[in-house]
């Protein structure tokens, strides 16, 4: 038997289209991601981008933060922007408007997803809870707090 090799990015792509269910119904796949590391979410209406990254890391036996905070990923292995690669790299972004704290503040709004490439002054991100689903989105480079790499 041969081993199946797949990157976190490739596995995450298989979840594209998973989305929140409006109303009182919940997407049980997303709820499972949330409940992997926290018992308090009762539905899929809470921010779940970090839960999605943790879930993919857990499925592949990689290190994970075990936190629903997107900025918790800033504690992982630092990657210089120019060295970012599709596969194991994550992008941590500022979330919200107005003045936002820098990458040294973990307890603040953020967003995390898998690095999918550069597009001029933007970064492409494959992530969960992007317009309430797993999909590809682009964000201004100005919002980047850091790029990190998943490790064993």
């Amino acid at each position: 038997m041969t081993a199946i090799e797949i990157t976190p990015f490739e596995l995450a792509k298989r979840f594209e289209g998973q989305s929140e269910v409006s109303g009182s119904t919940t997407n049980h796949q997303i709820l499972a991601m949330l409940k992997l590391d926290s018992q308090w979410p009762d539905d899929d209406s809470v921010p779940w981008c970090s839960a999605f990254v943790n879930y993919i890391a857990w499925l592949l036996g990689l290190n994970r933060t075990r936190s629903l905070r997107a900025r918790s990923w800033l504690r992982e292995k630092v990657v210089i922007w120019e060295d970012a690669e599709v596969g194991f790299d994550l992008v941590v972004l500022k979330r919200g408007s107005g003045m936002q704290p820098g990458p040294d503040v973990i307890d603040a709004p953020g967003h995390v997803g898998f690095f999918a490439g550069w597009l001029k002054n933007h970064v492409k991100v494959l992530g969960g809870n992007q317009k309430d689903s797993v999909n590809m989105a682009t964000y201004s480079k100005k919002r980047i707090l850091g790029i990190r790499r998943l490790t064993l």
Side-chain angles (χ1 to χ4, degrees), residues 84-95:
E85 299 176 352
V86 175
F88 287 81
D89 292 350
L90 305 171
V91 181
V92 184
L93 302 159
K94 298 175 186 177
R95 182 173 55 109

Side-chain angles (χ1 to χ4, degrees), residues 43-110:
D43 58 47
D44 59 11
S45 66
V46 300
W48 51 273
C49 61
S50 184
F52 177 63
V53 174
N54 270 296
Y55 189 68
I56 296 297
W58 176 76
L59 288 171
L60 294 173
L62 300 172
N63 284 334
R64 56 198 188 86
T65 66
R66 293 178 166 81
S67 171
L68 297 182
R69 291 202 174 278
R71 286 175 176 240
S72 66
W73 293 96
L74 290 167
R75 296 182 181 126
E76 299 303 306
K77 182 180 178 182
V78 175
V79 175
I80 297 169
W81 287 23
E82 294 80 21
D83 296 336
E85 299 176 352
V86 175
F88 287 81
D89 292 350
L90 305 171
V91 181
V92 184
L93 302 159
K94 298 175 186 177
R95 182 173 55 109
S97 59
M99 193 65 143
Q100 296 289 315
D104 53 320
V105 178
I106 302 300
D107 189 14

Side-chain angles (χ1 to χ4, degrees), residues 16 91 93-94 111 113-127 129-131 133-144:
E16 275 188 296
V91 181
L93 302 159
K94 298 175 186 177
H111 181 66
F114 294 93
F115 174 79
W118 301 110
L119 188 62
K120 296 187 181 182
N121 293 326
H122 293 82
V123 61
K124 294 189 293 185
V125 177
L126 172 63
N129 203 33
Q130 296 182 157
K131 296 190 178 176
S133 69
V134 177
N135 60 59
M136 196 76 69
T138 57
Y139 298 93
S140 169
K141 285 183 179 179
K142 293 177 183 177
R143 291 183 56 188
I144 297 175

